Amino acid sequence: MTRFAHNALTAAIASASTLALATASLGVQAQETITLGHTTSDNSHYSVGVDAFAEKLEELSDGAFVVDEQPSGALGGERDMIEGLQIGTLDAVVTSTGPLGNFVPETYVLDLPFLFEDYDHARCVLDGEIGQSLLDKVEENDLIALAWTENGFRHMTNSDRDIKTPEDAEGLKIRTMENEMHMAAFEEMGVQPTPMAFPELFTALQQGTVDGQENPISVILTSNMWEVQDRLSLTGHVYSPAIMLASPILWEGLSEEEREWFVDAAQAGAEATRAEVSRLETEGVEELKEKGMTVIEDIDKSQFQEAVEPSYTTYTDEYGSEMLDRIRNNDDC
């Protein structure tokens, strides 16, 4: 090495050391990337919430935390991602409650059909004491619950027939989530429930593996279900909450202040998601009509309620009726 090269290398090392010391003295933190997965598209209500979460987290942490969103099931189905949280292969997930009961059985109560009267009722319950007690149960099962968020009321689609009554749905093979409460309700209607991870659904509908599916308007629209399904029946049979979860491995490495940032950011994400769901619940139906779907609106929901009522015993026989009674008799909502 020439003297010039040696001097240049020495100067570079000194400069780097000086920069590192200066950075440390200014209290500049190394940036940490939070990998967050979900199964819906990058223009969905989930994604709107993730954007709000990311923006708030960056703001609170002065850029110390940034979010890498992985939408459209890029990291697997919802159950796969929840398992990934437990072993630390990803940091955070937005998921429906569909597979959550497999990890936290107490949350199955939220998936009972016709439990909530409307959005105000559902949001009030989840934002109150009952919702917090269920979040606490999540944390007892090796997961970190950041906030309740939302999918919306679920409706049925198919390409075979108009569904106005439970009898109209008999014999149809309908994709459901991997959730025993949902499957029990559809069995009571004479439907053949077919549990399947969401990333597999569109292809299954294209190929005729299943006749139809059920999801909120927000998912039906942003997942382009109208391309493979002709008819939408506004049954509103189940209110579908969602939840933002974090990995306990990530959580253990955070300070108390950083944990507060994540919770506050998750709440901002939940509020943005709910606002988008509310928008799509009205505007989305009209857009689906414009895209060619036949929308069946004249539905007597009392017939569906009567048909699925026996499915409640699937829950109460195993878990009792205490939480169900608390929701039904909640004077605050």
Side-chain angles (χ1 to χ4, degrees):
M1 180 183 293
T2 65
R3 179 179 298 178
F4 176 80
H6 179 271
N7 290 343
L9 179 59
T10 301
I13 293 172
S15 176
S17 299
T18 301
L19 179 59
L21 288 170
T23 300
S25 67
L26 289 170
V28 177
Q29 294 176 285
Q31 194 173 70
E32 183 172 350
T33 299
I34 303 301
T35 302
L36 188 155
H38 61 86
T39 57
T40 59
S41 67
D42 60 2
N43 67 335
S44 67
H45 58 301
Y46 277 6
S47 201
V48 168
V50 171
D51 287 345
F53 169 75
E55 183 179 343
K56 189 66 174 179
L57 185 60
E58 284 192 48
E59 174 194 326
L60 292 171
S61 68
D62 288 331
F65 291 100
V66 295
V67 176
D68 174 24
E69 178 184 9
Q70 294 290 321
S72 303
L75 301 179
E78 291 183 325
R79 182 166 183 161
D80 298 326
M81 288 191 288
I82 294 173
E83 291 172 348
L85 292 178
Q86 293 180 320
I87 61 176
T89 55
L90 70 163
D91 300 310
V93 167
V94 179
T95 175
S96 70
T97 53
L100 186 63
N102 295 299
F103 302 86
V104 190
E106 292 84 355
T107 62
Y108 272 133
V109 68
L110 300 175
D111 292 294
L112 291 170
F114 300 105
L115 177 62
F116 297 107
E117 297 171 9
D118 52 29
Y119 280 103
D120 287 342
H121 181 208
R123 292 167 181 175
C124 177
V125 169
L126 290 174
D127 291 345
E129 182 182 334
I130 293 172
Q132 184 57 54
S133 68
L134 290 171
L135 290 177
D136 293 341
K137 287 292 183 183
V138 173
E139 298 196 7
E140 292 174 10
N141 289 270
D142 200 28
L143 291 165
I144 303 301
L146 296 177
W148 288 114
T149 177
E150 190 167 76
N151 266 308
F153 281 91
R154 304 180 78 87
H155 308 285
M156 298 175 67
T157 72
N158 80 105
S159 293
D160 186 72
R161 65 191 82 153
D162 291 355
I163 298 175
K164 297 182 179 181
T165 68
E167 289 75 21
D168 294 332
E170 285 184 6
L172 289 176
K173 187 179 286 187
I174 300 292
R175 177 268 176 182
T176 65
M177 293 191 288
E178 299 175 79
N179 183 293
E180 60 180 288
M181 301 303 139
H182 288 203
M183 290 186 282
F186 279 107
E187 285 171 354
E188 293 294 340
M189 285 192 283
V191 167
Q192 299 179 47
T194 307
M196 179 184 300
F198 186 76
E200 302 169 15
L201 174 57
F202 194 88
T203 301
L205 291 168
Q206 279 182 315
Q207 296 175 347
T209 307
V210 291
D211 300 311
Q213 61 87 54
E214 48 86 49
N215 259 302
I217 298 299
S218 53
V219 176
I220 293 168
L221 179 60
T222 59
S223 299
N224 297 343
M225 294 295 177
W226 45 272
E227 293 180 357
V228 288
Q229 297 276 269
D230 295 337
R231 296 171 174 85
L232 164 64
S233 296
L234 299 180
T235 51
H237 50 275
V238 170
Y239 170 77
S240 179
I243 191 169
M244 182 176 286
L245 301 170
S247 167
I249 296 170
L250 166 71
W251 204 246
E252 288 172 7
L254 300 177
S255 68
E256 285 300 319
E257 182 182 27
E258 289 168 339
R259 291 177 180 182
E260 290 178 9
W261 295 341
F262 274 78
V263 172
D264 289 348
Q267 191 57 49
E271 290 171 4
T273 301
R274 286 177 173 179
E276 182 68 359
V277 168
S278 294
R279 184 186 72 81
L280 289 172
E281 191 69 21
T282 52
E283 296 178 17
V285 170
E286 294 306 312
E287 191 169 342
L288 288 168
K289 289 178 181 178
E290 292 171 6
K291 292 182 180 300
M293 286 196 90
T294 298
V295 179
I296 298 92
E297 301 181 65
D298 55 334
I299 293 171
D300 182 357
K301 291 187 180 182
S302 64
Q303 292 187 45
F304 285 90
Q305 286 178 286
E306 184 178 349
V308 302
E309 183 68 27
S311 68
Y312 272 49
T313 59
T314 303
Y315 175 82
T316 56
D317 285 353
E318 188 164 355
Y319 307 111
S321 61
E322 179 185 358
M323 184 60 72
L324 174 60
D325 292 339
R326 284 181 64 187
I327 292 173
R328 283 177 157 174
N329 302 323
N330 185 4
D331 294 334
D332 294 335
C333 300

